Amino acid sequence: MLTGLWPDTLGLWNNGTHFRELRPDVVTLPQHFKANGYTTRCVGKIFHNWHTKEKGDARSWSAPEFLHYASHGHDAPQVAGPLPPNLASGGGRLYTDVPLTECRDVPDEAYYDGRVAAEAVRVLGEVKDRPFFLAVGFWKPHAPFNAPKRYWDLYDRSRLPPLDGRRPSGAPEVAFHDSREILGLPGPGRISASAELEREMRHGYFANISYLDAQLGKVLDALERTGRAAETLVVFVGDHGYHLGEHGQWGKTSNFELDARVPLLIAAPGVGGAGRATAAFAELVDLFPTLSDLCRLPAVPGLEGRSLAPVLRDPAARVKDAAFTQHPRPAYYDREPEKVPRVMGYSVRTAAVRYTEWRDWRTGENVGREMYEDADEPAETRGVLGEARLAAAQTEAERLLLARFPRIPHPPAASSSR
């Protein structure tokens, strides 16, 4: 998203490797704006790499980053005086540091996102009189489920959407993972997700969303107060989707629709499609060329996304026929002895289907395939691979996937040699 390059181009499919280790001279999205006269500032989780040697990406910014190099599992409440009691069960420990579920009557600023919003408001006041690129990286609604109590109180747990935890029919085992990001590593310390804890985590996720929404509102209100809102391009986007027990999965790192589809809202001055939704496909690599295009910056050679400006001007327009996603297996292979993927899952979403191939990393051969139709999105409860009525849609999806990701073998040391 921040380089406009595909993971296979970067040779980067995990969080444990900083992209500068592989491509030290790549130009990032904020770096491009900085080189063209913008003050660029980072508040919060943007270049996340919290467990890499290089912290963030200092060359992209005009001033030091704020609250950018941390872990979700370190987001413990900070308050003056005694800490109010946790009214949630706790649910176990996330990364051993904080409770998985936490409902305390504390101010917004007790947690990361309240402090991120406050700093973003302060920075806006500092940069408002010059061209600026402000990246605000909110941490929520990602676990832990620890929004302040007032946001939990917005929801009646008994009225939340029920959980359908069924696995999709026909899905290969490699499509799934062990949910370690939420439940912990397999073994004695792993969290056991009882039905009651599942309901509490889902309640906490809704609370986290409302907490995030309130912080975003503070930043947008501050932008209005600067008098620059009408001439400021605003993007709201997530970097991944999330499972909350669907398919028996918790967290991300899959090629299912619930992980691959993210929110994307773009408010751009002077475009004709304001306030309208579009069925056009978009990928996160498209943000770099889109923002550069809309702000009339020089084009950066080699970007692999496409500008979405035509869609913003006319929501009926299209700039691509499909969107692609990929995830390795093991999901966190950099923490395994071999330090390279064993299998890579490549997925294409067309207007008709989502089609995924899981390929042996060394040989390029398929070890599993799956397909779901648009009418079953995002639940993906029934596999439709090989059904005659969808033969044309499957053939087209296979063609698109092969054109983007040829089936090629990778040498054993591929990820360390690129």
Side-chain angles (χ1 to χ4, degrees):
M1 181 166 69
L2 295 164
T3 64
L5 301 175
W6 300 331
D8 280 9
T9 300
L10 291 168
L12 181 61
W13 309 275
N14 64 68
N15 279 344
T17 302
H18 197 288
F19 68 97
R20 295 282 184 200
E21 296 177 32
L22 304 174
R23 296 287 293 270
D25 297 323
V26 71
V27 176
T28 69
L29 172 59
Q31 191 178 4
H32 183 50
F33 274 78
K34 181 181 176 184
N36 284 277
Y38 282 70
T39 294
T40 59
R41 299 293 292 271
C42 169
V43 178
K45 179 185 174 184
I46 301 297
F47 291 102
H48 181 37
N49 309 104
W50 66 272
H51 51 319
T52 57
K53 295 176 182 178
E54 185 168 348
K55 300 181 179 182
D57 190 56
R59 71 190 75 181
S60 290
W61 310 108
S62 303
E65 296 141 286
F66 174 86
L67 198 52
H68 66 292
Y69 190 80
S71 162
H72 292 277
H74 295 150
D75 192 10
Q78 297 180 8
V79 298
L83 184 64
N86 182 8
L87 303 178
S89 71
R93 311 296 286 186
L94 184 70
Y95 316 140
T96 75
D97 289 330
V98 300
L100 179 59
T101 58
E102 189 172 40
C103 174
R104 300 183 192 270
D105 192 2
V106 295
D108 288 1
E109 291 75 17
Y111 295 106
Y112 285 168
D113 277 355
R115 301 199 291 278
V116 166
E119 178 66 6
V121 169
R122 188 195 70 79
V123 171
L124 268 173
E126 187 178 297
V127 303
K128 62 182 176 60
D129 295 323
R130 67 190 92 154
F132 66 85
F133 179 107
L134 173 60
V136 183
F138 289 114
W139 293 75
K140 295 304 176 196
H142 193 292
F145 309 108
N146 61 353
K149 178 179 180 296
R150 65 181 63 84
Y151 301 104
W152 288 76
D153 291 346
L154 295 174
Y155 300 95
D156 178 346
R157 189 177 303 177
S158 67
R159 299 177 64 185
L160 294 177
L163 169 62
D164 182 352
R166 294 175 297 165
R167 283 190 171 190
S169 62
E173 185 63 30
V174 71
F176 303 95
H177 56 77
D178 59 17
S179 302
R180 66 179 58 189
E181 185 176 23
I182 305 298
L183 303 181
L185 294 168
R190 183 174 170 86
I191 293 171
S192 177
S194 65
E196 180 54 37
L197 179 57
E198 287 179 344
R199 288 190 289 269
E200 185 172 77
M201 286 193 287
R202 290 169 68 84
H203 186 176
Y205 190 80
F206 276 78
N208 278 1
I209 290 174
S210 290
Y211 173 51
L212 160 65
D213 185 62
Q215 308 320 302
L216 174 63
K218 294 174 185 178
V219 177
L220 294 178
D221 287 348
L223 177 60
E224 290 285 349
R225 291 195 298 271
T226 67
R228 302 288 300 277
E231 59 190 274
T232 301
L233 193 158
V234 179
V235 176
F236 178 83
V237 63
D239 61 340
H240 58 77
Y242 219 59
H243 276 76
L244 294 168
E246 300 89 355
H247 303 156
Q249 304 285 273
W250 293 88
K252 53 184 186 293
T253 69
S254 84
N255 279 317
F256 293 119
E257 182 87 353
L258 283 167
D259 277 0
R261 190 169 184 173
V262 302
L264 174 60
L265 293 86
I266 302 176
V271 299
R276 298 165 63 189
T278 177
F281 285 104
E283 299 177 287
L284 294 180
V285 289
D286 298 330
L287 280 176
F288 195 153
T290 299
L291 299 186
S292 183
D293 183 5
L294 292 172
C295 293
R296 300 182 177 87
L297 270 56
V300 175
L303 295 183
E304 292 173 315
R306 297 182 183 179
S307 173
L308 301 172
V311 179
L312 294 172
R313 298 187 181 104
D314 176 9
R318 300 288 186 272
V319 297
K320 53 180 56 178
D321 296 326
F324 298 85
T325 307
Q326 66 182 103
H327 276 286
R329 291 290 181 265
Y332 299 99
Y333 68 87
D334 56 316
R335 300 170 201 180
E336 301 292 329
E338 54 265 57
K339 302 299 182 186
V340 294
R342 298 186 200 119
V343 174
M344 186 66 74
Y346 293 104
S347 188
V348 57
R349 178 69 157 88
T350 71
V353 298
R354 172 176 294 283
Y355 170 75
T356 302
E357 293 183 355
W358 295 91
R359 300 177 187 167
D360 183 285
W361 185 241
R362 296 193 179 187
T363 68
E365 296 301 314
N366 281 338
V367 297
R369 298 193 302 158
E370 53 189 318
M371 190 172 81
Y372 311 95
E373 61 182 319
D374 178 68
D376 191 27
E377 304 290 0
E380 292 179 335
T381 56
R382 193 175 76 86
V384 294
L385 187 71
E387 290 195 6
R389 64 187 178 87
L390 294 169
Q394 180 173 332
T395 298
E396 174 65 3
E398 290 174 341
R399 183 190 69 79
L400 289 166
L401 194 69
L402 192 61
R404 169 70 73 92
F405 301 111
R407 294 191 189 99
I408 57 173
H410 296 81
S415 68
S416 61
S417 64
R418 295 181 66 157

